[in-house]
Amino acid sequence: MDNRQRLLDYIDAHQEELTSILTELVKCDTQNFSQTGREENGQVRLAELCRERGLTPVLYCPDDVPGLTEHPGYLAGRGTDKRPNLSAVLSAEKPERRVTLAAHMDTVPIGDEEQWTVPPLGGIVKDGRLYGRGSGDDKSGLAVGLFLLGAIRKLGIRLKDELVLTAYVDEEYGGGNGSLATCLKYPSDLYLNLDGTGMKLSSWGVGGCVYIIDVYTEDAVEDGRYALDGVMALVDELKKFGERRSAELQANSVYAGTHEADTALRFMEISVGNNGNDLGHGMINFVFYTLDTEANILAELKEVREKAIARTAGKGLRFGDFTPGSRFFLPYVPDAVSDDAVRIGNYVEQFTGEKAVHSGMCLSDLAIFGPFGGSTAFNFGIDRPFSSEGGAHQPDEYVSVDDLVAEAKILGMYLMDREA
């Protein structure tokens, strides 16, 4: 029996091990609160799981990696001097290249637990689904990566590639220092970021940013309607800004007709007052996608602010500046789909019966691995869309166990293409 079939048989016979890894990771509270995060809880457990499979994990805080804090891609104020990455290496006897399999350990906050019908950190499997915060986004990638490295090692399969499994921190809320540290500490020929949706292969990444802007009344007020005038003026002008972003993406062959182009601007939070207090204060938090430069975008946002001010002249309002709530992501636009992405696409078709989709990605750390890794990078994963029931960031987040197993087979056969 050849090694490819041995690995496929191993995956079929050890599905419970695969789901168990994911359950163990989901049980760990690794919520990201932007300036702080609880990733260490998951990294400690992942380190134990690595050792159980004969792998030697290395934990390191991104800020401790030489050159990180001086790097132009470094984002200050994220607390990444206390939020450790984890990497484990499966060596090759005569490695021809290094391939990093990466996925992020952090999750968005659990949110309102009353909206969940299962324990958010339970990792419960029922009806063919594995539930929990981060089950798809993005601990499924970590589970599959560790499972495959353990299987390849246990079966004694030798590869031409040295494999690095990295669980990086601070992906949510536009961090990026964790993935940047991975690039500097383990420079690789290929970065396969296992942070994707619906088994699509994303070789391109849009730019963009999260921004926040505040509105204040000049005088004390007892009614939120005055600050609301300023907020609504900004909303109207930002909608026009969003229409321009959508048209920009629709004009690009990669993004034409995609969800990213249709939702090129999303309002994340709009508020006036705070439960009867601060009624003279309004706030807008929004995210947008773009292929334009940061300088041009900032010029447009300046015009948005000026038009809102003009529309509310004489109403006693003061407008704050647009303040970034994430890094400004630069577009990542390689010349073509890599051969590695094409090969994974072929296995997607083999194991799912569906034609592989090659697409773009929005505001993921592909924008770090691509420009700053200096080599080939793309995303692939099984997370479910944000807008789906049980999708990423939603209550009752889940992944299909069948999809989890299929991802293991797809990536396993892809790695076996480089058998020594």
Side-chain angles (χ1 to χ4, degrees), residues 299-349:
E300 281 200 47
L301 289 177
K302 180 180 178 182
E303 185 177 357
V304 165
R305 181 178 179 273
E306 289 172 349
K307 287 184 176 180
I309 291 173
R311 289 177 55 168
T312 57
K315 293 191 175 183
L317 296 174
R318 176 169 56 86
F319 290 76
D321 294 321
F322 284 102
T323 303
S326 72
R327 70 169 55 248
F328 194 101
F329 289 83
L330 300 174
Y332 175 57
V333 188
D335 294 333
V337 174
S338 71
D339 290 341
D340 288 88
V342 171
R343 286 197 288 118
I344 290 179
N346 292 336
Y347 288 121
V348 169
E349 295 184 31

Side-chain angles (χ1 to χ4, degrees), residues 197-204 341 345 348-349 354-360 379-380:
T197 302
M199 294 196 187
K200 293 187 297 185
L201 291 126
S202 299
S203 298
W204 300 270
V348 169
E349 295 184 31
E354 300 291 334
K355 185 173 178 59
V357 175
H358 294 270
S359 68
N379 282 20
F380 174 70

Side-chain angles (χ1 to χ4, degrees), residues 173-193:
Y173 303 118
N177 292 339
S179 52
L180 181 59
T182 301
C183 295
L184 297 182
K185 190 172 179 67
Y186 295 95
S188 300
D189 301 287
L190 169 66
Y191 297 91
L192 176 45
N193 191 28

Side-chain angles (χ1 to χ4, degrees), residues 63-82:
D63 289 21
D64 293 336
V65 174
L68 186 94
T69 56
E70 298 81 30
H71 194 282
Y74 177 70
L75 185 63
R78 303 294 294 196
T80 45
D81 58 333
K82 299 180 178 67

Side-chain angles (χ1 to χ4, degrees), residues 195-225:
D195 185 19
T197 302
M199 294 196 187
K200 293 187 297 185
L201 291 126
S202 299
S203 298
W204 300 270
V206 290
C209 195
V210 175
Y211 272 99
I212 300 167
I213 186 167
D214 296 286
V215 180
Y216 302 91
T217 59
E218 297 285 2
D219 301 319
V221 295
E222 61 178 1
D223 191 325
R225 74 180 71 180

Side-chain angles (χ1 to χ4, degrees), residues 36-347:
T36 62
R38 298 173 180 170
E39 294 97 334
E40 187 171 7
N41 295 327
Q43 306 292 35
V44 169
R45 183 65 182 118
L46 180 58
E48 295 171 347
L49 295 170
C50 285
R51 294 188 191 99
E52 290 173 7
R53 288 159 180 79
L55 300 170
T56 302
V58 177
L59 279 81
Y60 55 96
C61 289
D63 289 21
D64 293 336
V65 174
L68 186 94
T69 56
E70 298 81 30
H71 194 282
Y74 177 70
L75 185 63
R78 303 294 294 196
T80 45
D81 58 333
K82 299 180 178 67
R83 304 166 70 176
N85 277 7
L86 180 147
S87 294
V89 178
L90 182 64
S91 299
E93 190 171 322
K94 294 181 179 180
E96 296 182 3
R97 64 177 188 172
R98 175 186 279 169
V99 174
T100 288
L101 305 177
H104 61 89
M105 176 60 79
D106 62 310
T107 72
V108 294
I110 289 168
D112 182 3
E113 292 194 38
E114 294 296 320
Q115 299 299 312
W116 289 73
T117 64
V118 294
L121 301 179
I124 291 174
V125 179
K126 66 176 184 177
D127 300 326
R129 299 174 175 181
L130 196 155
Y131 289 88
R133 176 59 78 221
S135 56
D137 188 18
D138 182 27
K139 293 178 179 180
S140 57
L142 292 174
V144 169
L146 175 58
F147 175 77
L148 286 174
L149 263 63
I152 291 168
R153 183 183 181 281
K154 185 173 182 178
L155 293 172
I157 296 171
R158 299 183 182 275
L159 302 178
K160 297 177 183 178
D161 297 335
E162 176 180 85
L163 303 181
V164 181
L165 174 67
T166 292
Y168 59 94
V169 300
D170 197 27
E171 188 272 346
E172 303 292 358
Y173 303 118
N177 292 339
S179 52
L180 181 59
T182 301
C183 295
L184 297 182
K185 190 172 179 67
Y186 295 95
S188 300
D189 301 287
L190 169 66
Y191 297 91
L192 176 45
N193 191 28
L194 300 175
D195 185 19
T197 302
M199 294 196 187
K200 293 187 297 185
L201 291 126
S202 299
S203 298
W204 300 270
V206 290
C209 195
V210 175
Y211 272 99
I212 300 167
I213 186 167
D214 296 286
V215 180
Y216 302 91
T217 59
E218 297 285 2
D219 301 319
V221 295
E222 61 178 1
D223 191 325
R225 74 180 71 180
Y226 306 106
L228 182 62
D229 286 342
V231 167
M232 294 311 299
L234 282 168
V235 166
D236 287 344
E237 295 302 327
L238 283 170
K239 284 181 179 178
K240 299 172 187 176
F241 170 83
E243 290 168 0
R244 293 193 293 273
R245 301 284 72 74
S246 181
E248 173 193 344
L249 295 186
Q250 294 288 5
N252 183 279
S253 59
V254 173
Y255 291 99
T258 65
H259 181 69
E260 288 83 4
D262 292 338
T263 59
L265 180 139
R266 292 184 291 128
F267 291 103
M268 309 297 285
E269 183 178 357
I270 301 175
S271 66
V272 172
N274 180 16
N275 196 29
N277 301 311
D278 303 322
L279 293 173
H281 174 220
M283 183 274 289
I284 300 174
N285 180 328
F286 65 98
V287 62
F288 63 89
Y289 311 141
T290 185
L291 295 170
D292 209 341
T293 66
E294 183 177 9
N296 287 344
I297 290 297
L298 289 176
E300 281 200 47
L301 289 177
K302 180 180 178 182
E303 185 177 357
V304 165
R305 181 178 179 273
E306 289 172 349
K307 287 184 176 180
I309 291 173
R311 289 177 55 168
T312 57
K315 293 191 175 183
L317 296 174
R318 176 169 56 86
F319 290 76
D321 294 321
F322 284 102
T323 303
S326 72
R327 70 169 55 248
F328 194 101
F329 289 83
L330 300 174
Y332 175 57
V333 188
D335 294 333
V337 174
S338 71
D339 290 341
D340 288 88
V342 171
R343 286 197 288 118
I344 290 179
N346 292 336
Y347 288 121

